Amino acid sequence: MALQTWTLFVVSSVTFLLFFTGFIIPLFSGAPLTHVALLLHLALGGLLAAALVFLGFLLGGDYLPPYRQPAEGDLHAWLRLGIRFCFWVMLLLALPLLSTVTLSMNPWIRTGLMPTLLLAHQVTAFLFSLALVGFVTLFFLSKTRNEETES
């Protein structure tokens, strides 16, 4: 359990730092990422990719089917369904999020495609962040519900 929590903390922290370098710095500077901020953003992106792979291996088996429709009064089952949904949406959004950056680094991609790749990266980063916030919130809400029912 501690390993899951620690991995989730790493993914959340790295995502926050990526949000800071990718959205906040360009918002206040009015210029795209350059120099140290760009290098930091790219390094954190690689760390996020590795942490997501580890999180997928660590938690993926817990959130596989069989899927059953939760009963109306079973809050824990609904929480688990929300966790499962956010987890898979988060992992699926990580694919276009990381592939847009990888594609933009390839020499066979034309320069005219760069703004489209940047927009796709920004949109998927925003959606990924929403899915991560939902996953973390429901994950810890579920853990606190488990502790309340056990005591």
Side-chain angles (χ1 to χ4, degrees):
M1 182 58 66
L3 188 60
Q4 294 174 349
T5 306
W6 183 84
T7 307
L8 201 52
F9 173 74
V10 169
V11 169
S12 301
S13 301
V14 169
T15 302
F16 175 76
L17 291 172
L18 283 165
F19 175 78
F20 182 75
T21 60
F23 285 112
I24 302 298
I25 291 176
L27 182 68
F28 287 115
S29 70
L33 286 179
T34 56
H35 308 299
V36 175
L38 180 61
L39 291 175
L40 180 64
H41 194 76
L42 289 172
L44 288 170
L47 182 61
L48 178 67
L52 283 174
V53 167
F54 189 69
L55 186 70
F57 281 125
L58 194 62
L59 295 178
D62 294 343
Y63 301 125
L64 289 175
Y67 166 73
R68 286 181 227 86
Q69 177 72 24
E72 272 190 47
D74 191 6
L75 181 63
H76 184 68
W78 282 104
L79 280 175
R80 190 147 172 86
L81 181 64
I83 291 169
R84 180 180 291 168
F85 176 77
C86 289
F87 176 77
W88 288 111
V89 166
M90 183 178 66
L91 286 185
L92 288 175
L93 283 171
L95 294 173
L97 179 64
L98 297 169
S99 63
T100 52
V101 173
T102 307
L103 280 174
S104 69
M105 292 182 201
N106 287 316
W108 45 269
I109 296 294
R110 294 177 294 139
T111 328
L113 193 58
M114 293 297 176
T116 306
L117 288 173
L118 178 62
L119 180 64
H121 183 73
Q122 291 169 339
V123 168
T124 54
F126 178 72
L127 294 174
F128 174 84
S129 299
L130 290 179
L132 177 66
V133 167
F135 178 73
V136 169
T137 303
L138 293 174
F139 183 83
F140 286 112
L141 187 62
S142 172
K143 298 302 174 200
T144 56
R145 292 269 308 162
N146 284 346
E147 291 172 2
E148 287 175 2
T149 56
E150 287 175 2
S151 58

